[in-house]
Amino acid sequence: MAINTRAELSDEELAFLQKLLSDELRKVSGNIAQLEVQTEATSKCTHLDAVDLASQIAAQRAAHSVLESQRQQLSEIEHAMARLKVGTYGLCEQTGEPIGFERLAVLPWARHAVT
């Protein structure tokens, strides 16, 4: 079985998907920056009673969880953009088969085709 070396996407589809990735990269990067500022600001609060401290700790844990999720998404987007540069974008990393445009339009950093 031959493995494809180029996704079956038109130039227009690739341009559309590249724009989606770029837009998402900006959005996620902005989210990360904002979360980092918020996390830093809440960690500087002092003189809290036990209830406020517990609330602050819970909020920080939630913010850290969201921040980690956003960092993972940023990594996936950067990986997809790197694949665009080398010409392997849109190909399943497991099988080498094309990932459909419809799937990529919903999740432009998808690594695998739906089987």
Side-chain angles (χ1 to χ4, degrees):
M1 172 168 76
I3 295 179
N4 290 326
T5 56
R6 175 154 159 61
E8 297 172 355
L9 299 168
S10 70
D11 291 341
E12 294 80 16
E13 289 171 333
L14 279 172
F16 174 80
L17 293 167
Q18 186 169 10
K19 182 175 179 346
L20 280 179
L21 286 167
S22 294
D23 291 348
E24 197 65 24
L25 179 74
R26 273 190 298 281
K27 181 179 118 186
V28 171
S29 295
N31 290 347
I32 290 170
Q34 187 177 28
L35 284 165
E36 287 173 340
V37 167
Q38 288 173 352
T39 302
E40 180 70 24
T42 59
S43 68
K44 291 182 180 181
C45 292
T46 57
H47 308 295
L48 301 173
D49 64 24
V51 173
D52 288 338
L53 182 59
S55 178
Q56 179 184 352
I57 290 170
Q60 284 177 333
R61 286 182 180 161
H64 282 290
S65 177
V66 172
L67 185 58
E68 185 56 35
S69 175
Q70 290 289 283
R71 286 180 177 149
Q72 179 62 36
Q73 186 174 353
L74 180 65
S75 176
E76 291 295 322
I77 294 165
E78 290 170 338
H79 180 76
M81 293 180 92
R83 292 185 73 199
L84 266 169
K85 289 181 182 176
V86 298
T88 59
Y89 177 77
L91 296 174
C92 178
E93 291 183 0
Q94 186 174 0
T95 66
E97 292 299 315
I99 300 170
F101 174 75
E102 294 79 14
R103 175 164 168 73
L104 291 169
V106 172
L107 188 68
W109 52 88
R111 292 180 180 233
H112 303 284
V114 177
T115 55

